[in-house]
Structure formats: C-alpha cells, structure tokens
Amino acid sequence: MGLAVRVIPCLDVRSGRVVKGVNFEGIRDAGDPVEAAERYDETGADELCLLDITASHENRAAIIETVTAVAEQIWIPLTVGGGVGDEAAFERLLRAGADKVSINSAALRDRQLIARLAKRYGSQCVVVAIDAKAAAGGWRAYSQGGRHDTGIDAIDWARQAAELGAGEILLTSMDADGTCNGYDLGMIAAVAQIIDVPLIASGGAGQLDHFAPAIEAGADAVLAASVFHDRVLEIGQVKHSLAAAGLATTLPAAEAA
C-alpha cells in the first residue's frame, strides 16, 4: 500500500454560507461553514477545502473572516480558494489560517504566478484548481467560477501547472459536479498520467462505490461536497469503502481506538 488516500469535504461558500449546486448552477443553501467544518474535523476528514465560489466572478477577495473562523475550529489542514488574484491575496489567506491556497483564474491569466508563489511560499502550499468540461474529444479549462471557456486544453494545463511549481492539482469535472453520478474517470486518468504531483479528484461523488474508482484511475485524494453536506454519506463510510477496495486509508480516531 502507498500513502493513505485523503478524503476531503469541500465547503463552497457564498455570502458567508455553505452552498451547493449542480453543474455549477442552481445554488442552494447548505449551512454554516464553521459548524460544517467542526463536524468534518470530528468525523475523520483528512483535510478541508473552502472555496469562495463567486469571488473571482465578482472580482473581490475571498472572505477572510470566514477563513479565520473555520481555521480556529479545526485541526486538519485547510485549503482555501476563490478570488486569489495575486501574491498579496495568497499571503492574506495564509495569514488568516489557510495551510494551502488554491488558485485558478489568476493562474490562467498569468502562468508565472504559480512559479512566483512556489518560490516564495513553497510548492507544498500552492494548489492549482482546474475546472474542466468535456469538449471535442478532450477537456477544456474554465475560469471565473466556471463561467468562462478559456479554450485551453485542461490536460496540458495541468501538466504546465505542475511543471511551474504547483504542489497539487485540484481537478473538478464541471459535467459531473453535483450530479452524484460518479467522478470523470477518463479525465482523472488523463491528468494523472502526465503529472508527478498529488491529484485531488472533484465533482460527481454520489455513492460509496464512486470513490475507489477515482483513486484507481490515478487520483491521490477524493473531494466531495453535497453527499457530506446532506449526510447521504459520512466520512467514515467512505474510508471503510476505500479500505474494502484494498486502498490505504486512515479511519476516524473514534473507530481506530
């Protein structure tokens, strides 16, 4: 067995509330971010991801107050993204309590931003998020919270991002997002084959048998939102399903004792 598979709940936040949609649309309220973060920490999440989903589109910085409040209540690593347009915004989130910061639209505008951040803060805290949608036999990268088709090949962009210094790639299938029909295994495999940094699979988890195939396709971690927010599944259930598939995982402390 290799490194333990990470199970990562994602809090998509808008106006200080956790929200969830389908295919990046039809947004609905899903609760308080601090309460959700505490629950995930207590029930065995390996990390937590907090994304301000409208920050880039609205051309504003991520919500520092929410980041600070969440960071103060959890012990697991916290990745924060949304509206991170430059080095100053990146540093503000680290100072607010983020362990890693995710960049997306800004990196597509200025690819050298990845290299500058990696040099200054270390690759380990630079996550490049890629929102991708199937197109013409491949996948294209989108920016501005999935609103703008960049025309850039998502697989090649993942390769470039890793080469520039990204410590991790957060790959979201816009087609699968919120559908609960499973991860885009083809896209995961295509990216995993050409990068040598950890890959987080995102978008589409809906039932227990969706998680192991994402790891088998090449992901190092699985991220999900609605199934955890709506308590369709618990973190421990996912970890047990991964273990049953022969994958290394860490059980919640209460179960491991």
Side-chain angles (χ1 to χ4, degrees):
M1 287 188 178
L3 294 174
V5 173
R6 289 170 291 150
V7 178
I8 307 173
C10 182
L11 305 179
D12 291 329
V13 174
R14 183 177 69 176
S15 302
R17 298 287 293 178
V18 178
V19 295
K20 193 64 194 119
V22 176
N23 304 130
F24 282 41
E25 298 178 352
I27 303 299
R28 61 179 172 81
D29 187 274
D32 176 76
V34 178
E35 291 177 3
E38 287 182 297
R39 177 165 69 89
Y40 293 136
D41 190 10
E42 292 167 358
T43 55
D46 296 297
E47 296 185 14
L48 183 68
C49 187
L50 190 157
L51 300 178
D52 187 339
I53 62 169
T54 58
S56 291
H57 172 60
E58 296 171 359
N59 192 29
R60 59 173 173 77
I63 38 177
I64 296 294
E65 298 82 2
T66 301
V67 174
T68 301
V70 167
E72 288 175 347
Q73 297 301 321
I74 64 173
W75 295 94
I76 54 178
L78 173 64
T79 298
V80 180
V84 183
D86 54 28
E87 290 94 328
F90 192 97
E91 183 166 324
R92 278 196 297 273
L93 290 173
L94 290 179
R95 290 183 179 277
D99 298 283
K100 296 183 276 190
V101 177
S102 168
I103 56 175
N104 186 336
S105 300
L108 284 160
R109 290 193 303 270
D110 174 12
R111 301 187 181 196
Q112 289 305 313
L113 175 63
I114 300 171
R116 295 195 302 273
L117 291 170
K119 182 177 180 180
R120 183 168 180 178
Y121 302 104
S123 290
Q124 80 286 344
C125 65
V126 181
V127 178
V128 172
I130 300 175
D131 297 329
K133 185 180 287 189
W139 297 268
R140 283 210 298 264
Y142 281 65
S143 63
Q144 305 301 314
R147 293 171 176 81
H148 175 64
D149 180 355
T150 65
I152 295 169
D153 179 83
I155 310 304
D156 189 55
W157 172 224
R159 177 189 59 77
Q160 290 183 53
E163 290 175 351
L164 285 164
E168 202 161 47
I169 300 295
L170 170 54
L171 181 67
T172 300
S173 166
M174 294 176 62
D175 299 305
D177 179 72
T179 65
C180 297
N181 291 326
Y183 294 95
D184 187 330
L185 303 180
M187 183 169 70
I188 292 168
V191 170
Q193 288 167 10
I194 61 166
I195 65 171
D196 58 2
V197 299
L199 174 62
I200 304 171
S202 169
Q207 54 195 53
L208 286 177
D209 60 7
H210 288 160
F211 294 91
I215 301 301
E216 290 160 355
D220 300 276
V222 281
L223 180 148
S226 54
V227 290
F228 294 142
H229 299 337
D230 297 337
R231 303 203 180 198
V232 173
L233 298 174
E234 296 293 340
I235 304 290
Q237 290 178 289
V238 173
K239 291 192 171 188
H240 280 294
S241 75
L242 291 168
L247 299 167
T249 185
T250 57
L251 292 176
E255 297 183 34

